[in-house]
Amino acid sequence: QPTSTSCFGSHLEERLYFTELMGAIYTDSSVLSALTLAFLEDTGWYKANYTNAATSTFGHRAGCSFVTGDCIVNGKVPEWGQGFFCDTPLGVTSQGVPLVDVQQTMCDPTRRKKAACDLIDRSELANDLLYGVSAELPSEYQYFSDESFGAASMPLADFCPIPSMEMQDCRDSSNSGQYEVFGKSSFCYTSYYQDQFARWRPFSPLCIRTRCNADDSSIEVEMDGRKVTCSEGDHGEMLSLPRTPLRISCPRFDVVCADLVCPANCSGRGVCEKDDTNSVPKCKCFDESDKSLGCFGSQSAMTDADDVLPKDPTMTPARDPKKGEETPASTRVMVPTQDPTLLPTYGYPDSGSGDAISDSDAPLPTASPTQAPVVTLYGNSWRGSSPATTMSCAFVTAVLCSLSVVLLLL
């Protein structure tokens, strides 16, 4: 994806790879995926250890329409885009600053943070918040009847509105809130309360302790020592949240428990298929002898010259491509053998980890939810393509930036 005057581009397409490390915009939610590792291998300089790959959850198993279709259809997010895109516009102050209604906050695409939709009337936005991009949308990216409506901070994602204005991290244990528990095992949930007419209304998103159960392919949600379960196919189902007057909506299993669904997207070495049972899809590796969960391959068969790395790979390749000479064996290092990790170890932390909670650690919730403040101003809080957050290095530099990460993981 071009992010400067170069026609080659230096990043993956942000519209498709929002949560990928080599996407055009970086945040701490970006992951190192098998796609980036495969790209690095294709340079001919590296052997990647795919057991270190994570799944980029943006659009994970959302179907071909996620790739080929518009992010907004008839002014609304289509079913396949729910949770990834948004259609809730922000207001704008007289100074051209986004006005965020706290009651309009939602979960970000990773389900790890609370965020606001960056949909806005771009004609009203202050020029310095457009980061040099014209307020007028290209015709192919006009998704609403009002042609000036579009993403404020996502021009590199085809101006698709995304819940990208990060407001609160569920993993930060220093945060607190009613009916919430923050920590490394917490995920964001859409919640609802019942009004005086017995109608269920949207409430603020909640950060709640979560565990991915590999035995029955479910999401276990815990509140004050009690839990409810969302099955793999329960996306959008409403469940009562224990010991509260609220309900929550089951999230996508493929996002919250991505490592239980074809880990690392089968490392590009297999296909993700369901068998005849009701279990979650599993990798069917192209190499029938590869029985690893993510088609990670064998790390123990590296014996010839093609399976070695130089000590300083960013300086000298294992062979001199011009002279056809091979670097002396004394300067080459074998890739360390690592057994694939069968299942991720995350969910409820062990006691004593600093993230555990029991009934005695938190007071019982009140009988009725307390509404959040009506409005809050955020001048420049979204995840955007500003100089402070955009990875603007050129193609070669961008690759080398990632190489140091890969080498640490090998």
Side-chain angles (χ1 to χ4, degrees):
Q1 173 173 355
T3 51
S4 64
T5 57
S6 169
C7 62
F8 291 103
S10 55
H11 301 279
L12 300 179
E13 174 65 48
E14 187 73 6
R15 158 66 173 79
L16 304 176
Y17 299 104
F18 179 80
T19 50
E20 160 63 46
L21 180 65
M22 282 303 295
I25 303 172
Y26 171 81
T27 71
D28 61 2
S29 296
S30 300
V31 301
L32 179 68
S33 75
L35 177 64
T36 292
L37 293 179
F39 166 75
L40 294 171
E41 275 200 315
D42 284 347
T43 66
W45 288 60
Y46 298 93
K47 276 287 185 181
N49 184 344
Y50 287 87
T51 63
N52 294 307
T55 301
S56 179
T57 58
F58 190 64
H60 188 215
R61 295 189 66 230
C64 292
S65 295
F66 181 87
V67 178
T68 60
D70 286 338
C71 55
I72 302 293
V73 178
N74 296 325
K76 297 293 183 182
V77 177
E79 183 178 356
W80 51 261
Q82 295 291 331
F84 304 122
F85 304 109
C86 53
D87 52 27
T88 306
L90 301 174
V92 182
T93 69
S94 58
Q95 291 78 33
V97 177
L99 182 66
V100 179
D101 186 337
V102 175
Q103 295 183 17
Q104 292 181 332
T105 57
M106 58 194 69
C107 300
D108 85 327
T110 70
R111 290 281 175 167
R112 284 299 205 172
K113 298 176 181 178
K114 299 179 185 180
C117 183
D118 74 338
L119 177 60
I120 204 166
D121 186 343
R122 293 175 57 84
S123 65
E124 298 181 0
L125 198 61
N127 288 333
D128 61 337
L129 297 182
L130 291 171
Y131 303 119
V133 180
S134 173
E136 183 178 351
L137 291 171
S139 59
E140 64 268 31
Y141 301 141
Q142 294 175 359
Y143 307 111
F144 299 89
S145 56
D146 189 332
E147 298 178 356
S148 63
F149 264 73
S153 59
M154 286 291 119
L156 296 175
D158 298 348
F159 292 93
C160 286
I162 297 174
S164 57
M165 296 180 64
E166 299 174 356
M167 300 180 68
Q168 198 172 37
D169 195 326
C170 290
R171 298 165 294 185
D172 186 352
S173 58
S174 66
N175 291 326
S176 63
Q178 190 179 26
Y179 311 122
E180 300 188 277
V181 178
F182 292 81
K184 63 183 180 181
S185 64
S186 294
F187 283 78
C188 182
Y189 291 81
T190 303
S191 67
Y192 303 86
Y193 75 98
Q194 198 170 31
D195 65 14
Q196 64 269 33
F197 302 107
R199 295 173 298 190
W200 289 99
R201 301 289 192 183
F203 189 57
S204 300
L206 301 176
C207 294
I208 311 173
R209 283 165 52 95
T210 301
R211 178 177 182 268
C212 292
N213 190 324
D215 294 330
D216 60 5
S217 302
S218 66
I219 302 171
E220 296 179 354
V221 184
E222 183 193 13
M223 177 61 67
D224 291 332
R226 301 181 184 180
K227 69 179 181 180
V228 292
T229 300
C230 292
S231 298
E232 187 257 338
D234 286 349
H235 175 225
E237 295 292 325
M238 300 269 283
L239 297 176
S240 295
L241 187 62
R243 304 179 76 170
T244 78
L246 306 176
R247 287 184 177 180
I248 58 171
S249 176
C250 287
R252 293 178 183 267
F253 183 85
D254 311 291
V255 171
V256 174
C257 302
D259 290 331
L260 299 184
V261 184
C262 298
N265 280 329
C266 306
S267 304
R269 299 173 171 180
V271 292
C272 187
E273 293 184 340
K274 263 197 171 186
D275 54 24
D276 295 333
T277 68
N278 291 325
S279 61
V280 298
K282 294 179 174 59
C283 290
K284 182 178 181 181
C285 303
F286 299 139
D287 180 358
E288 295 182 358
S289 66
D290 187 351
K291 303 302 181 183
S292 61
L293 294 181
C295 300
F296 301 122
S298 173
Q299 299 292 326
S300 60
M302 299 179 181
T303 56
D304 60 30
D306 287 332
D307 294 325
V308 297
L309 288 177
K311 288 184 176 179
D312 195 354
T314 60
M315 297 296 293
T316 308
R319 292 185 179 87
D320 188 328
K322 294 182 179 179
K323 299 180 181 180
E325 297 177 354
E326 190 170 340
T327 304
S330 60
T331 66
R332 302 200 306 263
V333 182
M334 293 295 294
V335 177
T337 299
Q338 295 188 19
D339 295 328
T341 302
L342 295 182
L343 289 176
T345 54
Y346 61 94
Y348 299 148
D350 295 331
S351 59
S353 66
D355 189 31
I357 188 168
S358 65
D359 285 346
S360 61
D361 293 325
L364 294 178
T366 56
S368 58
T370 302
Q371 292 295 333
V374 176
V375 292
T376 304
L377 288 177
Y378 292 84
N380 190 15
S381 62
W382 65 76
R383 174 187 192 264
S385 51
S386 66
T389 57
T390 303
M391 296 179 67
S392 58
C393 46
F395 177 79
V396 175
T397 307
V399 172
L400 294 180
C401 288
S402 295
L403 295 184
S404 59
V405 178
V406 177
L407 290 177
L408 290 174
L409 296 177
L410 285 175

